[in-house]
Amino acid sequence: MLLAPMACTNRGDGDSGDGGDGGGGTSSTGGAGGEKNDGGTGGQSVQAPGACGPVAPAPLRRLSRLEYAGSIRALFPKTFPPDADGVWRLDNHAMNFQRAGQASARRVNLFQEPAEDVLSHGFANRAKNMNPTSLHIDRFNDVAALVAEHVWRTRKQGAGDAFLPCDTQDLACGTRFVEQFGERAFRRPLTAEEKTDFVGLFEQELKANTFDVAVVLTLEAFLQAPQFLYRAEIGDSGTLDKGAVKLTAFELASRLSYLLWSSSPDEELMAAAKSGDLLDTKTLETQARRMLSDKRFVFMAVEFFRQWGDFDRIFSETYRRRPGFPSLAAGHSVPSAYRTAARDEMQWFVEWLMTDGDASIETLLTSRKSRGNGYLATLYGPGVPLDEKLDAALDKTVKDIALDAQQRSGYLTRALFNWTYSRFDTPSPPLRGAFVIEKLLCSTFPPPPADALSVAPPPPAGPTNRELFEANVKARSDCPVCHKSLDGIGFGFENYNEVGGYRTLDKGRPVNANGELFDTDVDGKFNGAVELSAKLASSETVRHCMMKHLYEYATGRDAEGTVEDEGIDSCRLKALDQLLLEKKGDLREALVGFVTSPDFVWRPAP
Amino acid sequence: MTMQSTLARRQLLNAMGLTASSLFLPSLAGRRFARAATTPKRLLVFYTPHGPVNQRWQMRPAGPHTWSDTKEKPDRSQELSFSLKSQTEDKWSQILKPLYPLRDKLLVVEGLSMASALLDVNTNNHNAGTSHALTGAKMVYPGGFKMEGAGGGSSIDQLVADKIADPNRIRSFYFSTGGWSPVFRGKIEQRAETAPDRAYDKLFPVSATGDATLDLVKQRRPSAIAAVAQQYKKFAARLASDDRKKLEDHFALVSDLERSLAFRSAEGGKCVQRPSSAPAPAPGRTVVDVSKDFGGLITAAFACDMTRVAVLQMGQPGSGELVTALNIHTDLHADVAHGASPDRPKQYGQMAGYYAYLASNFATVLGQLNAVTVDAGRTLLDDTVCLWLCELANGPHEVHDIMAVVAGGGDAFSLGRYVKHAESTANPRSANGAKIGPAHNKLLTSVANVFGVETQLVGSPASDFVSKRPSAANFDLTGVLPLMKT
């Protein structure tokens, strides 16, 4: 059974009740019942090849924040170098640089400088949401100027990237600069008209001002041009087949590099595009496998999980202060080092999973690999609740951490997940259950009614957290419908307190972490999140759901239809899911399968 | 330093809250506007999260508490209007009391419903409120998923900007201290500037960086942007319809930027001189302090006619601010807002306190505008329609009986009054016959009309909702809101 609907599902067209809200829950995931994307096809029916029928939509994609940063890093690899181990990470120190000539001495972060992307299901790369707004245009202008000035200054100081191909300060050098830098920025050779336009700009500024001014302004123009900010695909008109065209080799190279690296093609991939070899499926697969084993793959892989799990939500103000830290004075937040440690553990974990690990959902949910500093060790040790005064003595070095097999397994048993999906001062079974339902089972449920009351902070003595939630749900006749599934899962996490520390007692009484899964392919009772994780790891629904997330991330659009209603993507998802099954759940192999499928090389004709 | 620049500098300092006195600025008086003196020149939308506590903001001539907190409003079906000017401060409601000093310039509106949200498809009401509050339009679903709706039309600020923005200046501001975006242009969700220091840098760019090349680059930047714009124009033509539209939109915005950059680096620079220091970065500061910085920037930009439309969105305070400013030691959303019912007096009182805090913040921003005199006896506030709308009607996330406050704008509306609309239409979501008042679309339409936007409806017509909600046929969303003028 795939994508089994929960008993309490929301297809999105209900019209009863007064709404309420999601209770700060996870961003919803699903896709059923939505309005159709037409994906830039203009509504025309296109055929194209493949066992799954008409070619899939391929709406125009603008660079996301991540892809923007990745593209700039590729253009200026010495100015924005990777970490010491060669991996691109978002917290790389070179991503921060000083803004020139402003009254405020604000430092700039290459990733954060462009305007925020609009999220869909928590993901920040949906083409339909990548619309231009005045802030986006303003910020793209800002960041283009900042980067151009920064790389020019760095070059003047004798460091950084030699983006100029010559030393003579004349139009001939400017012309070569336009040709060579333009090809790297646009991920293809410039057309004759583009070359004329950009050389024209360079020449205009050279005549009116100086060579350096012409260089900086031309850089700025390249970095704001549609050919750079958008991944436009025109296709090869010679391959037109009933409204579909094959991508050109350069377009294919861009699809591949932005999928696997969140960045532009490197020299080897560009060479394969120039020669046309990339149009051959075997070469395409060879390149894909090379890129999957390259350290730049980490940039994409971590981001996929970071968006899926909303890793940074732990820093949300609402979730900062916790009574798990009894020594904190009123109004003080939990030291950010604990949150950072919890977040960093998961970033490391998914990085390990997708590179040195087997890249499977099973491992994601059941591995006890852990690595972190003394803050993380404290969260996982017997020392919770924490003591702020002891922080200074904590070991700041990062080491492997041995997790207790009875207490911890994979993602759902770690500090980040359990801390993030807690309320202000209590674990939240519904929030934790909602994450599993939405993000692992790809099912949904309606919002709570408007007048649903949250659970008041528990008194020092009295009912346990579970008892409080149970009483609230029982108090209304309409609550148990959804909470049966939500809390059936969520109560399984009761061994984790509001900062993800392990507990066996709640209000002095043994924790009851018994739960039950309903309306899934792995229904049944379980005790604690370790058992729950094992059940979910064996679920076909979970495997298919994660495949769907990855497919949507790869295509930049929400999948249409479900297995039940046979939307345009269901056949493709079935095929990829079968491949994932054959490849022992290795998501990297699913990516290779996607890359070598007809969908990856065809698109609707413009 | 010339006299003009001295005045401009003092005016800006004043707007930034750095001096206490008002200034008379004859150079600004009606110089740039051809409209009649009674026509408002600017719009400020103040948008706050969650919703207030009805019994703690609503007022009656006899005082704020004419009915018990625990009882249904006794005069729901009645229409009411009374002067705020004669109300002594002790008769003001807890939430609105911070606005008492500006009572002559206020119009408080009670009894409206976010009817378009009630008629729309059921979703979580944060989503509904965010999408409908400033648009009144049926939601759309860019991601294709019904729990993530977005505004189905332009928000009121953008509609007004379409009419009054000077294409050679900054079209509009959208500043925020956090929260989901209620601002839409067409159906495109807009993103807010959240850093006052960055906004300051954009408004008042340094004239010299100390580097001759970079100074020349700055001067010549508009020409590079013009070249970029042409690339969008050319490239768009090669794409299919939806994709082409996206690049055409991008082209239009780049063209806007080209013009406003030229203005900022030339004419804008003459209007005001930068104050000695930029606002501090937002992280680590209270949302109220940051919004005050934004209010100062809006005031300065309005005074210098750098822009004519602004939205200031208040984010939810962080835990530190909640504790120190409001003595709230728990989660504002989950524990306070959701629990703000009369039978939970603690949360009920905390929610009322929170909204009084927001009213105080609104009063601060109004005060910033009111501190700048643009003509004899007239302040910037008198030329600016300020509209306070909330995401929701109250803590428990309802969207009927919403609060609306209009301030300033001269005689665009009849100020110094409190009006209550009759709530006598059946709530389309309620099975027990609960009644709601006029659609807030009418308020948005009234505001649009005073700026010359010729429309009978801001938002979606009732017919758009009929297929999912047959009772929508009974709703009148069109026309202006009664009682706004005497």
Side-chain angles (χ1 to χ4, degrees):
Chain A
M1 180 179 65
L2 299 175
L3 286 183
M6 306 298 293
C8 169
T9 56
N10 180 43
R11 292 290 164 148
D13 56 356
D15 63 352
S16 60
D18 198 8
D21 80 311
T26 63
S27 55
S28 303
T29 303
E35 293 180 353
K36 297 278 187 188
N37 295 324
D38 63 10
T41 63
Q44 64 190 22
S45 174
V46 288
Q47 289 300 316
C52 286
V55 67
L60 176 65
R61 298 176 73 171
R62 197 195 69 218
L63 300 186
S64 66
R65 266 181 156 185
L66 185 84
E67 291 163 342
Y68 186 90
S71 303
I72 296 292
R73 294 179 83 160
L75 285 171
F76 307 106
K78 291 183 179 173
T79 311
F80 301 104
D83 288 0
D85 61 359
V87 173
W88 282 0
R89 296 187 182 88
L90 280 182
D91 55 0
N92 177 284
H93 65 89
M95 301 271 278
N96 293 293
F97 57 98
Q98 181 69 48
R99 192 178 196 196
Q102 292 292 348
S104 56
R106 192 168 53 80
R107 290 188 72 81
V108 172
N109 180 281
L110 185 59
F111 172 67
Q112 293 173 352
E113 201 64 13
E116 273 188 86
D117 301 312
V118 174
L119 302 182
S120 180
H121 304 189
F123 289 102
N125 74 339
R126 297 295 192 263
K128 283 261 177 180
N129 283 343
M130 308 296 263
N131 293 304
T133 72
S134 57
L135 191 78
H136 279 96
I137 274 59
D138 218 34
R139 291 285 180 90
F140 281 136
N141 175 245
D142 265 4
V143 70
L146 290 164
V147 169
E149 290 175 11
H150 185 55
V151 297
W152 174 78
R153 278 177 179 238
T154 310
R155 188 63 198 149
K156 278 281 177 190
Q157 292 160 2
D161 292 278
F163 51 85
L164 282 172
C166 37
D167 294 327
T168 55
Q169 299 206 339
D170 54 17
L171 183 60
C173 183
T175 302
R176 285 179 62 193
F177 161 63
V178 165
E179 288 172 346
Q180 294 186 14
F181 184 82
E183 179 173 318
R184 294 173 61 222
F186 291 179
R187 286 92 63 176
R188 59 167 172 74
L190 272 59
T191 65
E193 187 180 13
E194 288 166 347
K195 182 181 166 187
T196 300
D197 289 346
F198 281 87
V199 170
L201 172 65
F202 190 94
E203 186 176 11
Q204 169 192 304
E205 297 306 316
L206 180 65
K207 284 181 178 172
N209 296 290
T210 66
F211 183 84
D212 281 349
V213 170
V215 168
V216 175
L217 284 173
T218 306
L219 274 175
E220 288 189 19
F222 272 126
L223 299 183
Q224 296 173 78
Q227 301 92 330
F228 174 71
L229 288 180
Y230 290 87
R231 293 158 53 192
E233 297 169 340
I234 309 296
D236 177 355
S237 58
T239 62
L240 184 65
D241 178 9
K242 295 175 184 171
V245 287
K246 271 189 169 178
L247 298 184
T248 68
F250 289 109
E251 291 166 348
L252 199 53
S254 278
R255 265 201 187 185
L256 192 58
S257 65
Y258 281 98
L259 170 62
L260 301 181
W261 287 349
S262 301
S263 180
S264 49
D266 66 352
E267 286 185 15
E268 183 176 333
L269 190 56
M270 284 293 276
K274 273 184 183 170
S275 69
D277 291 348
L278 194 62
L279 296 171
D280 174 70
T281 306
K282 283 189 178 176
T283 305
L284 189 58
E285 180 175 347
T286 302
Q287 285 294 328
R289 293 194 182 281
R290 173 182 74 88
M291 296 170 74
L292 283 167
S293 60
D294 188 281
K295 291 182 176 180
R296 278 167 282 195
F297 175 54
V298 170
F299 201 52
M300 172 269 171
V302 170
E303 186 66 12
F304 167 73
F305 283 104
R306 206 175 69 88
Q307 293 182 16
W308 168 77
D310 201 358
F311 284 9
D312 285 343
R313 179 170 164 156
I314 196 169
F315 296 100
S316 166
E317 275 286 310
T318 308
Y319 299 89
R320 286 179 74 172
R321 202 174 72 78
R322 303 284 173 185
F325 296 77
S327 66
L328 287 180
H332 285 219
S333 297
V334 173
S336 62
Y338 286 101
R339 293 188 297 273
T340 303
R343 193 272 313 268
D344 286 355
E345 183 209 12
M346 278 300 104
Q347 291 193 166
W348 173 85
F349 180 66
V350 295
E351 181 180 327
W352 165 83
L353 173 75
M354 297 300 284
T355 53
D356 296 332
D358 66 2
S360 74
I361 307 307
E362 183 179 355
T363 302
L364 174 76
L365 294 173
T366 59
S367 170
R368 274 187 291 279
K369 277 274 187 182
S370 176
R371 195 166 165 76
N373 59 18
Y375 292 95
L376 186 70
T378 305
L379 287 172
Y380 286 155
V384 177
L386 311 171
D387 187 337
E388 189 181 20
K389 294 173 185 170
L390 300 178
D391 287 351
L394 290 175
D395 187 355
K396 308 297 190 293
T397 55
V398 174
K399 300 173 183 171
D400 288 343
I401 294 177
L403 298 180
D404 186 325
Q406 302 301 312
Q407 299 178 2
R408 311 277 178 180
S409 56
Y411 184 85
L412 297 174
T413 66
R414 304 300 178 93
L416 178 73
F417 170 76
N418 286 289
W419 188 336
T420 298
Y421 296 106
S422 292
R423 286 294 189 195
F424 196 70
D425 48 11
T426 57
S428 175
L431 284 183
R432 292 168 175 181
F435 180 91
V436 172
I437 289 172
E438 292 177 345
K439 295 296 183 78
L440 283 168
L441 295 164
C442 283
S443 192
T444 62
F445 44 87
D451 55 349
L453 297 181
S454 66
V455 173
T464 64
N465 187 56
R466 179 174 183 142
E467 289 166 347
L468 273 173
F469 275 92
E470 285 175 334
N472 270 270
V473 169
K474 283 176 186 167
R476 290 177 61 131
S477 60
D478 53 345
C479 289
V481 181
C482 293
H483 279 270
K484 179 184 175 188
S485 296
L486 281 170
D487 298 343
I489 296 169
F491 285 140
F493 296 98
E494 278 299 282
N495 280 122
Y496 308 103
N497 69 13
E498 68 279 358
V499 294
Y502 194 82
R503 62 181 187 175
T504 55
L505 299 175
D506 182 15
K507 302 289 161 40
R509 286 185 281 148
V511 164
N512 177 359
N514 286 310
E516 185 168 0
L517 283 159
F518 299 98
D519 302 311
T520 73
D521 60 336
V522 287
D523 279 359
K525 295 182 189 301
F526 60 89
N527 183 12
V530 173
E531 283 187 22
L532 170 65
S533 296
K535 286 178 82 71
L536 293 172
S538 68
S539 163
E540 288 183 21
T541 306
V542 170
R543 187 188 68 235
H544 188 87
C545 177
M546 290 303 290
M547 183 65 248
K548 185 180 175 197
H549 288 314
L550 191 61
Y551 177 80
E552 291 178 330
Y553 193 81
T555 57
R557 59 184 181 81
D558 296 324
E560 293 181 26
T562 65
V563 169
E564 288 80 15
D565 66 13
E566 293 295 329
I568 191 169
D569 293 299
S570 61
C571 170
R572 293 163 168 87
L573 285 167
K574 275 182 192 170
L576 289 170
D577 190 56
Q578 181 60 34
L579 176 67
L580 198 59
L581 181 64
E582 292 165 6
K583 299 291 183 182
K584 298 180 180 175
D586 189 332
L587 290 171
R588 293 166 301 202
E589 289 296 330
L591 285 168
V592 173
F594 176 62
V595 162
T596 53
S597 71
D599 271 325
F600 198 74
V601 296
W602 287 84
R603 63 156 292 123
Chain B
M1 183 180 288
T2 64
M3 177 60 75
Q4 185 183 8
S5 63
T6 304
L7 283 171
R9 176 181 171 78
R10 291 177 62 196
Q11 174 199 17
L12 176 64
L13 291 172
N14 195 22
M16 299 286 285
L18 300 175
T19 68
S21 61
S22 290
L23 296 167
F24 175 63
L25 294 168
S27 64
L28 289 171
R31 185 164 60 90
R32 292 207 174 91
F33 300 99
R35 294 175 190 278
T38 54
T39 303
K41 299 180 174 69
R42 304 169 199 90
L43 171 68
L44 168 65
V45 177
F46 185 72
Y47 177 83
T48 54
H50 300 296
V53 174
N54 285 356
Q55 288 90 331
R56 300 293 174 88
W57 75 263
Q58 296 176 350
M59 292 165 57
R60 294 293 178 270
H65 298 113
T66 55
W67 68 94
S68 165
D69 277 354
T70 59
K71 288 186 177 173
E72 163 64 14
K73 191 194 294 190
D75 54 1
R76 191 170 289 279
S77 63
Q78 294 173 23
E79 185 177 289
L80 184 67
S81 174
F82 61 93
S83 172
L84 288 173
K85 299 174 186 175
S86 56
Q87 290 287 97
T88 53
E89 187 172 3
D90 60 302
K91 289 187 177 178
W92 278 60
S93 63
Q94 175 191 354
I95 288 174
L96 295 182
K97 194 170 284 187
L99 293 164
Y100 173 78
L102 291 160
R103 58 196 176 281
D104 289 358
K105 298 185 179 184
L106 291 182
L107 172 58
V108 180
V109 182
E110 179 189 329
L112 300 183
S113 65
M114 217 182 287
S116 57
L118 290 166
L119 294 172
D120 211 334
V121 168
N122 188 30
T123 180
N124 86 67
N125 273 358
H126 286 294
N127 188 189
T130 304
S131 302
H132 282 268
L134 304 186
T135 71
K138 188 172 188 282
M139 287 187 286
V140 293
Y141 307 90
F145 182 56
K146 294 288 186 186
M147 295 297 283
E148 292 178 350
S154 286
S155 47
I156 183 65
D157 56 298
Q158 293 302 304
L159 287 172
V160 171
D162 285 342
K163 185 70 181 179
I164 70 169
D166 182 334
N168 293 313
R169 302 180 185 213
I170 301 167
R171 176 183 159 83
S172 61
F173 285 159
Y174 171 25
F175 293 151
S176 172
T177 56
W180 295 350
S181 172
V183 179
F184 300 88
R185 188 177 182 186
K187 296 174 182 175
I188 296 177
E189 180 178 329
Q190 302 297 296
R191 298 311 244 178
E193 178 58 78
T194 57
D197 51 330
R198 177 197 284 274
Y200 172 90
D201 283 346
K202 300 288 288 187
L203 280 174
F204 314 113
V206 291
S207 56
T209 64
D211 184 304
T213 296
L214 296 185
D215 287 346
L216 273 173
V217 165
K218 187 184 290 286
Q219 287 176 25
R220 297 292 301 167
R221 187 158 288 140
S223 69
I225 296 173
V228 169
Q230 288 310 305
Q231 292 300 307
Y232 279 91
K233 198 171 188 178
K234 290 180 181 179
F235 207 71
R238 302 174 65 189
L239 303 179
S241 57
D242 282 4
D243 297 345
R244 183 167 61 239
K245 172 73 167 53
K246 194 173 278 190
L247 288 197
E248 286 169 350
D249 288 348
H250 199 127
F251 165 74
L253 292 167
V254 170
S255 299
D256 283 352
L257 176 68
E258 179 192 347
R259 289 190 296 270
S260 82
L261 266 188
F263 163 72
R264 277 182 271 178
S265 61
E267 193 177 341
K270 295 174 194 165
C271 174
V272 280
Q273 287 199 350
R274 54 191 304 156
S276 55
S277 63
R285 302 172 65 210
T286 67
V287 297
V288 160
D289 283 347
V290 175
S291 73
K292 188 176 176 185
D293 282 341
F294 277 136
L297 293 173
I298 290 168
T299 303
F302 277 180
C304 298
D305 201 22
M306 299 178 83
T307 191
R308 296 168 184 173
V309 175
V311 173
L312 178 56
Q313 176 181 14
M314 296 302 297
Q316 184 166 299
S319 54
E321 185 173 359
L322 284 175
V323 169
T324 54
L326 295 162
N327 197 29
I328 293 175
H329 293 253
T330 185
D331 186 315
L332 180 66
H333 170 245
D335 300 324
V336 176
H338 272 284
S341 59
D343 59 339
R344 300 180 82 173
K346 182 179 178 183
Q347 289 91 333
Y348 192 73
Q350 287 175 327
M351 198 66 196
Y354 170 53
Y355 249 77
Y357 185 61
L358 290 173
S360 177
N361 187 214
F362 185 45
T364 298
V365 176
L366 297 180
Q368 288 172 308
L369 292 169
N370 207 34
V372 179
T373 303
V374 295
D375 198 354
R378 286 182 70 80
T379 72
L380 210 50
L381 179 59
D382 297 320
D383 286 342
T384 306
V385 169
C386 302
L387 175 64
W388 179 9
L389 285 172
C390 313
E391 176 193 24
L392 299 166
N394 52 24
H397 295 61
E398 292 177 314
V399 289
H400 63 275
D401 204 357
I402 64 173
M403 181 177 81
V405 181
V406 176
D411 57 2
F413 301 112
S414 300
L415 303 177
R417 296 184 307 134
Y418 185 107
V419 299
K420 177 196 173 300
H421 291 273
E423 299 163 79
S424 51
T425 307
N427 183 340
R429 296 271 183 98
S430 173
N432 63 9
K435 304 293 187 186
I436 62 172
H440 88 302
N441 300 71
K442 292 171 181 284
L443 173 62
L444 299 177
T445 302
S446 293
V447 171
N449 284 182
V450 300
F451 284 99
V453 180
E454 294 175 0
T455 181
Q456 283 297 300
L457 171 65
V458 171
S460 301
S463 57
D464 280 8
F465 302 102
V466 169
S467 62
K468 290 279 185 186
R469 192 89 62 183
S471 62
N474 305 325
F475 277 78
D476 174 20
L477 305 181
T478 59
V480 296
L481 186 66
L483 307 180
M484 297 296 282
K485 293 277 280 186
T486 53

